[in-house]
Amino acid sequence: MKSKLAEEIKLIALLSVLLPTAVLLSTPALWWSAEPIKVLAGYLLGIVFTAAVLGGISLYDETEKARARKHGN
């Protein structure tokens, strides 16, 4: 059980860094004229927001699985 949880946390962490990085690298025209601190803040907020969304999706999925198991028995 712990290994599944650890793998899911690692996946969420990896995706939370990769998605904002891909957006940042694919849209340089949007942030080229912005202040560096604002770009960094937006990047870090993107990481936190992505982690929160993916964590919420994961929790929702686990509760739905538990509900299905409860009604299936």
Side-chain angles (χ1 to χ4, degrees), residues 10-65:
K10 287 179 190 176
L11 182 62
I12 289 173
L14 179 67
L15 289 174
S16 295
V17 173
L18 286 179
L19 290 174
T21 302
V23 169
L24 183 71
L25 293 176
S26 65
T27 58
L30 295 176
W31 54 263
W32 189 254
S33 62
E35 294 179 29
I37 192 73
K38 289 183 180 180
V39 174
L40 178 64
Y43 175 68
L44 295 175
L45 282 174
I47 291 173
V48 170
F49 178 75
T50 306
V53 168
L54 292 175
I57 291 170
S58 176
L59 286 175
Y60 177 78
D61 185 47
E62 290 298 321
T63 56
E64 288 298 314
K65 285 180 185 177

